[in-house]
């Protein structure tokens, strides 16, 4: 791990001159979404960090979703969940993912 860190940040550039001239920072369309994701990760870390102070805000946030989950074992109490809705959503997502495997499909739909 030390060798990788040292060669990456403190070592000399081993690229040839042609490649070294074309090294640049990422463009804004690539950098801005990463900054947004970093902000969301800080917000999520703030929700989880509440658990260290005695309160767990993340657990309170997920309470409406996880009503049927037993906290001791993680088992799901089926009474609170609509099984048909879950099966329908699983089938829909598998269908959409399967249709994405056909490269010519977007041209047929447009």
């Amino acid at each position: 791990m030390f060798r990788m860190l040292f060669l990456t940040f403190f070592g000399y550039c081993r690229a040839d001159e042609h490649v070294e001239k074309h090294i640049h920072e990422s463009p804004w369309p690539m950098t801005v979404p990463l900054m947004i994701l970093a902000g969301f990760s800080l917000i999520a870390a703030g929700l989880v960090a509440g658990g260290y102070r005695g309160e767990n805000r993340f657990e309170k946030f997920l309470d409406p979703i996880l009503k049927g989950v037993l906290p001791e074992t993680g088992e799901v109490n089926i009474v609170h969940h609509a099984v048909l809705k879950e099966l329908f959503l699983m089938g829909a997502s598998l269908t959409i993912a399967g249709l994405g495997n056909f490269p010519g499909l977007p041209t047929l739909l447009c």
Side-chain angles (χ1 to χ4, degrees):
M1 206 57 182
F2 173 77
R3 182 178 187 273
M4 180 177 61
L5 177 80
F6 186 78
L7 288 176
T8 302
F9 295 106
F10 303 110
Y12 63 92
C13 183
R14 292 182 286 174
D16 59 355
E17 291 177 17
H18 178 72
V19 174
E20 198 170 342
K21 289 179 186 176
H22 297 286
I23 295 176
H24 59 84
E25 290 291 328
S26 299
W28 282 107
M30 222 169 156
T31 306
V32 171
L34 290 173
M35 290 178 181
I36 293 170
L37 287 172
F40 284 139
S41 68
L42 289 175
I43 292 170
L47 288 173
V48 173
Y52 296 115
R53 293 186 301 251
E55 62 174 319
N56 194 343
R57 291 182 276 174
F58 189 65
E59 190 174 308
K60 287 180 186 176
F61 175 72
L62 290 178
D63 265 348
I65 299 168
L66 300 176
K67 280 184 183 174
V69 177
L70 303 174
E72 298 85 20
T73 59
E75 292 181 25
V76 178
N77 190 359
I78 299 296
V79 176
H80 295 287
H81 294 284
V83 177
L84 188 60
K85 182 168 56 170
E86 282 189 38
L87 292 175
F88 172 73
L89 290 174
M90 281 191 290
S93 65
L94 286 172
T95 303
I96 291 169
L99 290 175
N101 287 331
F102 297 107
L105 188 65
T107 57
L108 290 175
L109 295 176
C110 293

